Amino acid sequence: MQLCSLSVLYKSEPRAALLKATYDVSSFSFFQRSSVQKFMTCTSQPIVERSAKGSRASVKEQEYLCHVYVPNDSLAGVVIADSEYPSRVAFTLLEKVLEEFSKQVDRIDWPVGCPATIQYTALDGYLSRYQNPRDADPMSKVII
């Protein structure tokens, strides 16, 4: 089980804008890493654009599952993981990240923000902590 990407986007019309993202491409060869990271970034935006506000979905893209959550406030989160990663844990992660992000980053910055300007540093910690769903999510210890 592996989490590969965790992204926060702003769902606007006609495009979604990437606000912040983190990636774990350590399992790929050095020469594949940049193209895999680009694939994850380029996959997250159209998935958010096609998702309605107030929705969650899991979309299969190649050998990955892309879990997307778009609450009604126009923020959106995307987790890209392998197909073995539990979707319930991915959506729990997205809820936590988006709730924290909305409290720490001023809503005025969402429509005009980009990864270089948004001051939110917790994504790396979340991606690392949730690599093992059993350690990150108490319910997984019971279920798995």
Side-chain angles (χ1 to χ4, degrees):
M1 288 185 269
Q2 181 187 12
L3 278 179
C4 301
S5 169
L6 174 58
S7 306
V8 177
L9 298 95
Y10 178 72
K11 181 174 174 61
S12 62
E13 297 300 328
R15 299 199 44 118
L18 181 67
L19 298 178
K20 210 67 174 172
T22 188
Y23 308 94
D24 180 0
V25 291
S26 60
S27 63
F28 300 95
S29 77
F30 176 78
F31 298 106
Q32 292 178 307
R33 290 179 183 174
S34 65
S35 60
V36 168
Q37 184 171 325
K38 185 172 181 139
F39 157 77
M40 290 183 222
T41 301
C42 293
T43 300
S44 297
Q45 287 177 306
I47 289 173
V48 168
E49 291 165 3
R50 292 182 198 131
S51 300
K53 290 182 182 178
S55 69
R56 1 171 142 228
S58 295
V59 178
K60 184 145 179 67
E61 184 63 39
Q62 295 181 18
E63 67 267 17
Y64 303 100
L65 269 178
C66 305
H67 306 283
V68 60
Y69 175 46
V70 185
N72 289 320
D73 63 2
S74 295
L75 269 186
V78 178
V79 164
I80 298 178
D82 64 16
S83 58
E84 296 175 10
Y85 198 87
S87 61
R88 189 188 58 72
V89 178
F91 286 115
T92 300
L93 169 60
L94 288 171
E95 286 177 13
K96 285 182 181 183
V97 166
L98 293 179
E99 182 180 330
E100 185 178 286
F101 186 93
S102 67
K103 289 178 182 174
Q104 291 185 17
V105 177
D106 195 344
R107 185 180 284 265
I108 293 170
D109 295 331
W110 299 356
V112 295
C114 69
T117 62
I118 296 293
Q119 299 301 311
Y120 180 73
T121 59
L123 284 185
D124 290 332
Y126 277 117
L127 188 69
S128 176
R129 190 171 335 130
Y130 275 78
Q131 282 299 333
N132 185 346
R134 291 191 70 178
D135 293 341
D137 182 56
M139 285 297 291
S140 294
K141 292 179 182 176
V142 175
I143 296 171
I144 296 177

